[in-house]
Amino acid sequence: MANKPCSMTIGALAKAANIGVETIRYYQRRGLVAEPEKPYGSIRRYDEHALARLQFIRTAQWLGFSLDEIGGLLKLQDGTHCDEARALGEQKLTNVRQKITSLRRIELALDGLVKECSAQKDDVKCPLITSIYDGLEKGTSGRK
Amino acid sequence: MANKPCSMTIGALAKAANIGVETIRYYQRRGLVAEPEKPYGSIRRYDEHALARLQFIRTAQWLGFSLDEIGGLLKLQDGTHCDEARALGEQKLTNVRQKITSLRRIELALDGLVKECSAQKDDVKCPLITSIYDGLEKGTSGRK
DNA sequence: TTTGACTCCGTAGTTGACTACGGTAGTAAG
DNA sequence: CTTACTACCGTAGTCAACTACGGAGTCAAA
Protein backbone atom coordinates (compact mmCIF):
# COMPACT_ATOMS: atom_id res chain seq x y z
CA MET A 1 0.00 0.00 0.00
CA ALA A 2 2.95 2.29 -0.26
CA ASN A 3 2.89 4.87 -2.97
CA LYS A 4 5.26 7.49 -4.18
CA PRO A 5 4.97 11.05 -2.93
CA CYS A 6 3.41 11.94 -6.23
CA SER A 7 3.40 15.70 -5.97
CA MET A 8 2.18 17.61 -8.98
CA THR A 9 1.57 21.15 -10.00
CA ILE A 10 -1.99 22.21 -10.57
CA GLY A 11 -1.39 21.86 -14.28
CA ALA A 12 -0.26 18.27 -13.96
CA LEU A 13 -3.18 17.55 -11.66
CA ALA A 14 -5.53 19.04 -14.18
CA LYS A 15 -4.09 16.89 -16.91
CA ALA A 16 -4.23 13.79 -14.74
CA ALA A 17 -7.88 14.38 -13.88
CA ASN A 18 -8.73 15.57 -17.35
CA ILE A 19 -10.12 18.80 -15.99
CA GLY A 20 -9.19 22.38 -16.73
CA VAL A 21 -6.94 24.24 -14.31
CA GLU A 22 -9.53 26.95 -13.99
CA THR A 23 -12.13 24.40 -13.06
CA ILE A 24 -9.95 23.08 -10.26
CA ARG A 25 -9.47 26.59 -8.98
CA TYR A 26 -13.20 27.05 -9.19
CA TYR A 27 -13.74 23.93 -7.08
CA GLN A 28 -11.28 25.29 -4.56
CA ARG A 29 -13.24 28.50 -4.32
CA ARG A 30 -16.38 26.44 -3.80
CA GLY A 31 -14.63 24.51 -1.06
CA LEU A 32 -14.87 21.19 -2.84
CA VAL A 33 -11.16 20.58 -2.93
CA ALA A 34 -8.58 22.03 -0.58
CA GLU A 35 -5.82 24.37 -1.56
CA PRO A 36 -2.62 22.86 -0.22
CA GLU A 37 -0.17 25.07 1.62
CA LYS A 38 1.82 27.33 -0.55
CA PRO A 39 5.51 27.26 0.48
CA TYR A 40 6.78 30.80 0.97
CA GLY A 41 7.48 32.21 -2.42
CA SER A 42 6.80 29.02 -4.21
CA ILE A 43 4.04 26.96 -5.74
CA ARG A 44 1.34 24.68 -4.44
CA ARG A 45 1.76 20.94 -4.87
CA TYR A 46 -0.98 18.35 -5.19
CA ASP A 47 -0.99 14.65 -4.42
CA GLU A 48 -3.03 11.65 -5.40
CA HIS A 49 -5.65 12.49 -2.77
CA ALA A 50 -6.47 15.65 -4.62
CA LEU A 51 -6.70 13.63 -7.79
CA ALA A 52 -9.02 11.09 -6.19
CA ARG A 53 -11.24 13.88 -4.99
CA LEU A 54 -11.46 15.43 -8.40
CA GLN A 55 -12.40 12.10 -9.87
CA PHE A 56 -15.01 11.64 -7.20
CA ILE A 57 -16.48 15.00 -8.06
CA ARG A 58 -16.59 14.20 -11.74
CA THR A 59 -18.25 10.87 -11.15
CA ALA A 60 -20.82 12.23 -8.77
CA GLN A 61 -21.49 15.02 -11.22
CA TRP A 62 -22.03 12.62 -14.03
CA LEU A 63 -24.50 10.84 -11.80
CA GLY A 64 -26.50 13.99 -11.61
CA PHE A 65 -25.40 15.47 -8.32
CA SER A 66 -24.97 19.21 -8.19
CA LEU A 67 -21.80 20.70 -6.82
CA ASP A 68 -23.67 21.64 -3.67
CA GLU A 69 -24.81 18.08 -3.19
CA ILE A 70 -21.31 16.86 -3.85
CA GLY A 71 -20.11 19.19 -1.14
CA GLY A 72 -22.53 17.41 1.15
CA LEU A 73 -21.27 14.00 0.12
CA LEU A 74 -17.72 15.09 0.66
CA LYS A 75 -18.49 16.18 4.18
CA LEU A 76 -19.08 12.54 4.93
CA GLN A 77 -15.39 12.17 4.50
CA ASP A 78 -13.96 13.84 7.53
CA GLY A 79 -15.86 11.39 9.67
CA THR A 80 -16.10 13.80 12.56
CA HIS A 81 -19.86 13.95 12.67
CA CYS A 82 -20.89 10.41 12.15
CA ASP A 83 -24.56 11.00 12.90
CA GLU A 84 -24.78 13.88 10.51
CA ALA A 85 -22.90 11.87 7.99
CA ARG A 86 -25.28 9.00 8.32
CA ALA A 87 -28.27 11.26 7.95
CA LEU A 88 -26.78 12.75 4.85
CA GLY A 89 -25.96 9.34 3.56
CA GLU A 90 -29.50 8.19 4.06
CA GLN A 91 -30.84 11.24 2.39
CA LYS A 92 -28.55 10.73 -0.55
CA LEU A 93 -29.48 7.12 -0.72
CA THR A 94 -33.13 7.98 -0.99
CA ASN A 95 -32.21 10.52 -3.58
CA VAL A 96 -30.20 8.01 -5.55
CA ARG A 97 -33.01 5.51 -5.43
CA GLN A 98 -35.44 8.08 -6.72
CA LYS A 99 -33.10 8.89 -9.51
CA ILE A 100 -32.74 5.24 -10.41
CA THR A 101 -36.49 4.78 -10.45
CA SER A 102 -36.92 7.83 -12.57
CA LEU A 103 -34.16 6.82 -14.95
CA ARG A 104 -35.66 3.37 -15.30
CA ARG A 105 -38.92 4.88 -16.36
CA ILE A 106 -37.06 6.95 -18.88
CA GLU A 107 -35.15 3.90 -20.03
CA LEU A 108 -38.34 1.97 -20.60
CA ALA A 109 -39.89 4.83 -22.47
CA LEU A 110 -36.89 5.40 -24.70
CA ASP A 111 -36.42 1.72 -25.31
CA GLY A 112 -40.01 1.40 -26.41
CA LEU A 113 -39.69 4.38 -28.67
CA VAL A 114 -36.54 3.17 -30.33
CA LYS A 115 -37.93 -0.30 -30.86
CA GLU A 116 -41.11 0.98 -32.42
CA CYS A 117 -39.01 3.15 -34.58
CA SER A 118 -36.99 0.23 -35.86
CA ALA A 119 -40.10 -1.87 -36.32
CA GLN A 120 -41.95 0.50 -38.55
CA LYS A 121 -40.99 0.40 -42.18
CA ASP A 122 -41.88 3.16 -44.58
CA ASP A 123 -44.66 4.53 -42.46
CA VAL A 124 -45.41 8.18 -42.75
CA LYS A 125 -45.01 9.06 -39.11
CA CYS A 126 -42.08 8.46 -36.85
CA PRO A 127 -43.39 6.65 -33.77
CA LEU A 128 -40.74 8.13 -31.51
CA ILE A 129 -41.95 11.60 -32.18
CA THR A 130 -45.62 10.78 -32.16
CA SER A 131 -45.22 9.00 -28.86
CA ILE A 132 -43.50 11.89 -27.24
CA TYR A 133 -46.37 13.96 -28.51
CA ASP A 134 -48.84 11.59 -27.01
CA GLY A 135 -47.36 12.03 -23.65
CA LEU A 136 -45.96 8.62 -22.73
CA GLU A 137 -46.98 8.76 -19.13
CA LYS A 138 -43.93 9.91 -17.35
CA GLY A 139 -43.45 9.86 -13.62
CA THR A 140 -44.47 12.54 -11.22
CA SER A 141 -42.03 14.90 -12.79
CA GLY A 142 -42.58 18.20 -14.42
CA ARG A 143 -39.13 18.75 -15.80
CA LYS A 144 -35.45 18.11 -15.23
CA MET B 1 -62.72 13.14 -33.99
CA ALA B 2 -64.13 16.60 -33.74
CA ASN B 3 -62.94 18.88 -30.99
CA LYS B 4 -63.95 22.30 -29.85
CA PRO B 5 -62.05 25.33 -31.11
CA CYS B 6 -60.39 25.52 -27.74
CA SER B 7 -58.78 28.92 -27.98
CA MET B 8 -56.96 30.16 -24.92
CA THR B 9 -54.96 33.13 -23.88
CA ILE B 10 -51.32 32.59 -23.18
CA GLY B 11 -52.15 32.57 -19.49
CA ALA B 12 -54.68 29.79 -19.87
CA LEU B 13 -52.25 27.87 -22.05
CA ALA B 14 -49.58 28.24 -19.44
CA LYS B 15 -51.92 26.97 -16.76
CA ALA B 16 -53.02 24.07 -18.93
CA ALA B 17 -49.44 23.07 -19.60
CA ASN B 18 -48.31 23.86 -16.10
CA ILE B 19 -45.60 26.15 -17.41
CA GLY B 20 -44.95 29.80 -16.73
CA VAL B 21 -46.09 32.38 -19.24
CA GLU B 22 -42.57 33.72 -19.47
CA THR B 23 -41.28 30.28 -20.26
CA ILE B 24 -43.70 29.95 -23.13
CA ARG B 25 -42.59 33.28 -24.47
CA TYR B 26 -39.05 32.10 -24.10
CA TYR B 27 -39.80 29.00 -26.15
CA GLN B 28 -41.35 31.22 -28.78
CA ARG B 29 -38.19 33.26 -28.94
CA ARG B 30 -36.23 30.04 -29.31
CA GLY B 31 -38.49 28.98 -32.13
CA LEU B 32 -39.76 25.92 -30.33
CA VAL B 33 -43.38 26.98 -30.44
CA ALA B 34 -45.02 29.34 -32.91
CA GLU B 35 -46.58 32.64 -32.05
CA PRO B 36 -50.06 32.65 -33.52
CA GLU B 37 -51.28 35.65 -35.45
CA LYS B 38 -52.23 38.60 -33.38
CA PRO B 39 -55.59 40.06 -34.55
CA TYR B 40 -55.29 43.81 -35.07
CA GLY B 41 -55.49 45.47 -31.72
CA SER B 42 -56.22 42.31 -29.88
CA ILE B 43 -54.59 39.35 -28.23
CA ARG B 44 -53.06 36.10 -29.44
CA ARG B 45 -55.03 32.92 -29.01
CA TYR B 46 -53.68 29.44 -28.62
CA ASP B 47 -55.21 26.08 -29.42
CA GLU B 48 -54.67 22.50 -28.39
CA HIS B 49 -51.86 22.14 -30.89
CA ALA B 50 -49.84 24.66 -28.99
CA LEU B 51 -50.62 22.78 -25.81
CA ALA B 52 -49.54 19.49 -27.38
CA ARG B 53 -46.29 21.02 -28.42
CA LEU B 54 -45.57 22.36 -24.98
CA GLN B 55 -46.23 18.94 -23.56
CA PHE B 56 -43.95 17.45 -26.16
CA ILE B 57 -41.20 19.79 -25.07
CA ARG B 58 -41.67 18.97 -21.42
CA THR B 59 -41.72 15.26 -22.06
CA ALA B 60 -38.66 15.36 -24.25
CA GLN B 61 -36.96 17.43 -21.60
CA TRP B 62 -37.85 14.82 -19.06
CA LEU B 63 -36.26 12.25 -21.34
CA GLY B 64 -33.05 14.19 -21.11
CA PHE B 65 -33.12 16.17 -24.32
CA SER B 66 -31.86 19.74 -24.29
CA LEU B 67 -33.92 22.50 -25.87
CA ASP B 68 -31.59 22.47 -28.85
CA GLU B 69 -32.04 18.77 -29.27
CA ILE B 70 -35.77 19.19 -28.93
CA GLY B 71 -35.64 21.76 -31.67
CA GLY B 72 -33.93 19.12 -33.75
CA LEU B 73 -36.58 16.54 -32.95
CA LEU B 74 -39.28 18.97 -33.88
CA LYS B 75 -37.71 19.54 -37.24
CA LEU B 76 -37.95 15.81 -37.86
CA GLN B 77 -41.67 15.94 -37.45
CA ASP B 78 -42.63 15.24 -41.00
CA GLY B 79 -41.67 11.64 -40.31
CA THR B 80 -39.26 11.39 -43.18
CA HIS B 81 -36.31 11.38 -40.85
CA CYS B 82 -37.27 8.52 -38.64
CA ASP B 83 -33.75 7.09 -38.73
CA GLU B 84 -32.31 10.28 -37.40
CA ALA B 85 -34.85 10.42 -34.64
CA ARG B 86 -34.12 6.84 -33.75
CA ALA B 87 -30.40 7.53 -33.62
CA LEU B 88 -31.02 10.38 -31.24
CA GLY B 89 -33.21 8.18 -29.13
CA GLU B 90 -30.65 5.40 -29.03
CA GLN B 91 -27.97 7.80 -28.00
CA LYS B 92 -30.08 9.01 -25.10
CA LEU B 93 -30.93 5.47 -24.17
CA THR B 94 -27.27 4.50 -23.92
CA ASN B 95 -26.68 7.53 -21.83
CA VAL B 96 -29.51 6.72 -19.48
CA ARG B 97 -28.34 3.15 -19.08
CA GLN B 98 -24.86 4.24 -18.15
CA LYS B 99 -26.30 6.51 -15.54
CA ILE B 100 -28.42 3.75 -14.09
CA THR B 101 -25.44 1.44 -13.85
CA SER B 102 -23.37 4.03 -12.09
CA LEU B 103 -26.17 5.01 -9.78
CA ARG B 104 -26.62 1.43 -8.75
CA ARG B 105 -22.98 1.26 -7.80
CA ILE B 106 -23.32 4.38 -5.73
CA GLU B 107 -26.52 3.07 -4.21
CA LEU B 108 -24.68 -0.03 -3.05
CA ALA B 109 -21.85 2.01 -1.67
CA LEU B 110 -24.12 4.43 0.15
CA ASP B 111 -26.23 1.64 1.48
CA GLY B 112 -23.14 -0.03 2.87
CA LEU B 113 -21.91 3.19 4.36
CA VAL B 114 -25.12 3.97 6.10
CA LYS B 115 -25.39 0.49 7.52
CA GLU B 116 -21.85 0.42 8.82
CA CYS B 117 -22.38 3.86 10.17
CA SER B 118 -25.38 2.76 12.19
CA ALA B 119 -23.52 -0.30 13.34
CA GLN B 120 -20.71 1.50 15.08
CA LYS B 121 -22.21 4.72 16.28
CA ASP B 122 -19.64 6.33 18.51
CA ASP B 123 -16.44 5.61 16.69
CA VAL B 124 -14.15 8.50 15.99
CA LYS B 125 -14.05 7.90 12.30
CA CYS B 126 -16.69 6.68 9.94
CA PRO B 127 -14.45 4.04 8.45
CA LEU B 128 -16.70 3.63 5.51
CA ILE B 129 -16.55 6.88 3.70
CA THR B 130 -13.26 6.10 2.11
CA SER B 131 -14.93 3.29 0.31
CA ILE B 132 -16.88 5.80 -1.70
CA TYR B 133 -13.59 6.77 -3.15
CA ASP B 134 -12.49 3.23 -3.79
CA GLY B 135 -15.86 1.75 -4.52
CA LEU B 136 -16.82 3.83 -7.44
CA GLU B 137 -15.13 2.38 -10.44
CA LYS B 138 -17.66 4.22 -12.58
CA GLY B 139 -17.81 3.93 -16.31
CA THR B 140 -16.17 6.10 -18.88
CA SER B 141 -16.87 9.32 -17.12
CA GLY B 142 -16.17 12.79 -18.22
CA ARG B 143 -18.99 14.81 -16.92
CA LYS B 144 -22.67 15.54 -17.53
C1' DT C 1 -67.07 53.30 -17.48
C1' DT C 2 -64.13 52.23 -14.27
C1' DT C 3 -61.16 48.92 -12.29
C1' DG C 4 -58.25 45.15 -11.94
C1' DA C 5 -56.32 41.39 -14.17
C1' DC C 6 -54.06 39.93 -18.05
C1' DT C 7 -51.26 40.53 -22.58
C1' DC C 8 -47.43 42.24 -25.18
C1' DC C 9 -42.67 43.13 -25.79
C1' DG C 10 -38.06 44.23 -25.01
C1' DT C 11 -34.64 43.99 -22.00
C1' DA C 12 -32.32 42.67 -17.92
C1' DG C 13 -31.39 39.63 -13.98
C1' DT C 14 -30.57 34.75 -12.02
C1' DT C 15 -28.51 30.20 -11.23
C1' DG C 16 -25.24 26.57 -11.90
C1' DA C 17 -21.13 25.40 -13.72
C1' DC C 18 -17.71 26.72 -15.75
C1' DT C 19 -14.07 29.47 -18.86
C1' DA C 20 -11.24 33.37 -20.01
C1' DC C 21 -8.21 37.48 -19.04
C1' DG C 22 -4.42 39.94 -17.40
C1' DG C 23 -0.83 41.13 -14.59
C1' DT C 24 2.69 39.50 -11.52
C1' DA C 25 5.60 35.92 -9.62
C1' DG C 26 7.88 31.32 -9.51
C1' DT C 27 10.27 27.35 -12.36
C1' DA C 28 13.02 24.85 -15.46
C1' DA C 29 15.87 24.23 -19.78
C1' DG C 30 19.77 25.88 -22.18
C1' DC D 1 20.94 34.65 -16.80
C1' DT D 2 17.72 34.64 -20.14
C1' DT D 3 13.64 32.88 -22.00
C1' DA D 4 9.52 30.40 -22.15
C1' DC D 5 6.31 28.28 -19.61
C1' DT D 6 3.32 27.71 -15.67
C1' DA D 7 1.26 29.22 -11.34
C1' DC D 8 -1.35 32.62 -8.75
C1' DC D 9 -5.32 35.45 -8.12
C1' DG D 10 -9.15 38.38 -8.69
C1' DT D 11 -12.48 39.60 -11.61
C1' DA D 12 -15.27 39.21 -15.58
C1' DG D 13 -17.50 36.74 -19.35
C1' DT D 14 -20.28 32.59 -21.20
C1' DC D 15 -23.95 29.21 -21.76
C1' DA D 16 -28.44 27.02 -20.89
C1' DA D 17 -32.72 27.60 -19.23
C1' DC D 18 -35.28 30.29 -17.18
C1' DT D 19 -37.44 34.33 -14.42
C1' DA D 20 -38.42 39.10 -13.52
C1' DC D 21 -39.56 43.99 -14.72
C1' DG D 22 -41.76 47.91 -16.60
C1' DG D 23 -44.71 50.40 -19.30
C1' DA D 24 -48.34 50.45 -22.60
C1' DG D 25 -52.33 48.10 -24.59
C1' DT D 26 -56.64 44.86 -24.10
C1' DC D 27 -60.45 42.40 -21.84
C1' DA D 28 -64.20 41.48 -18.86
C1' DA D 29 -66.94 41.97 -14.74
C1' DA D 30 -69.44 45.27 -11.86
Side-chain angles (χ1 to χ4, degrees):
Chain A
M1 240 196 189
N3 41 21
K4 51 226 148 95
C6 185
S7 104
M8 343 169 218
T9 65
I10 198 175
L13 176 65
K15 201 157 291 174
N18 195 31
I19 293 182
V21 168
E22 297 302 331
T23 305
I24 293 174
R25 290 190 12 75
Y26 171 68
Y27 290 163
Q28 290 175 337
R29 267 173 265 142
R30 300 260 320 215
L32 293 177
V33 312
E35 270 193 295
E37 304 279 303
K38 183 174 133 183
Y40 279 166
S42 182
I43 261 178
R44 285 177 226 283
R45 294 285 167 171
Y46 299 83
D47 60 11
E48 68 290 346
H49 279 82
L51 180 56
R53 182 160 274 216
L54 287 176
Q55 281 160 351
F56 180 92
I57 291 170
R58 280 319 216 203
T59 304
Q61 219 173 11
W62 183 76
L63 291 171
F65 291 98
S66 71
L67 291 186
D68 273 358
E69 287 173 321
I70 292 169
L73 283 175
L74 285 169
K75 268 192 229 125
L76 295 175
Q77 225 214 153
D78 56 25
T80 55
H81 305 88
C82 201
D83 284 353
E84 261 177 72
R86 201 179 98 251
L88 242 173
E90 274 165 356
Q91 188 187 311
K92 279 308 154 204
L93 186 53
T94 303
N95 197 283
V96 163
R97 287 185 169 139
Q98 282 170 352
K99 278 181 185 167
I100 290 175
T101 304
S102 190
L103 280 172
R104 271 214 279 260
R105 263 199 290 265
I106 292 171
E107 183 195 9
L108 257 184
L110 274 174
D111 187 56
L113 293 187
V114 165
K115 276 189 185 127
E116 270 185 77
C117 229
S118 323
Q120 71 95 225
K121 280 292 164 198
D122 56 27
D123 197 358
V124 194
K125 285 262 157 194
C126 173
L128 192 151
I129 289 172
T130 3
S131 301
I132 295 181
Y133 253 114
D134 294 345
L136 56 79
E137 218 82 14
K138 32 198 196 321
T140 15
S141 99
R143 62 167 280 264
K144 266 276 143 92
Chain B
M1 236 195 197
N3 42 19
K4 49 231 149 93
C6 184
S7 103
M8 341 169 220
T9 67
I10 197 174
L13 177 64
K15 200 157 293 175
N18 196 30
I19 294 181
V21 168
E22 296 302 330
T23 305
I24 293 174
R25 289 192 12 79
Y26 171 68
Y27 291 163
Q28 290 175 336
R29 267 174 265 142
R30 299 260 320 215
L32 293 176
V33 312
E35 270 193 295
E37 304 280 303
K38 182 174 132 183
Y40 279 167
S42 181
I43 263 180
R44 284 177 226 284
R45 294 284 167 170
Y46 298 82
D47 60 12
E48 70 288 346
H49 279 82
L51 179 57
R53 181 159 275 214
L54 286 176
Q55 281 159 352
F56 177 95
I57 292 171
R58 282 316 215 204
T59 303
Q61 228 173 3
W62 176 76
L63 289 170
F65 292 96
S66 71
L67 292 186
D68 272 0
E69 288 172 320
I70 293 169
L73 282 176
L74 285 170
K75 268 189 228 130
L76 302 178
Q77 249 192 76
D78 54 15
T80 62
H81 302 84
C82 193
D83 285 353
E84 277 172 63
R86 202 179 93 246
L88 272 171
E90 273 166 353
Q91 194 184 307
K92 281 296 156 207
L93 183 54
T94 302
N95 200 280
V96 163
R97 284 185 170 141
Q98 283 171 352
K99 281 185 184 173
I100 290 175
T101 303
S102 290
L103 277 172
R104 275 213 276 258
R105 261 197 292 264
I106 225 183
E107 182 194 13
L108 264 183
L110 274 175
D111 188 53
L113 292 187
V114 165
K115 277 187 186 132
E116 273 185 77
C117 218
S118 325
Q120 44 183 112
K121 269 223 171 77
D122 47 18
D123 199 356
V124 193
K125 285 251 159 188
C126 290
L128 22 120
I129 280 96
T130 4
S131 64
I132 289 190
Y133 272 92
D134 311 334
L136 274 183
E137 289 300 302
K138 58 176 162 119
T140 21
S141 103
R143 64 166 278 264
K144 246 6 161 16

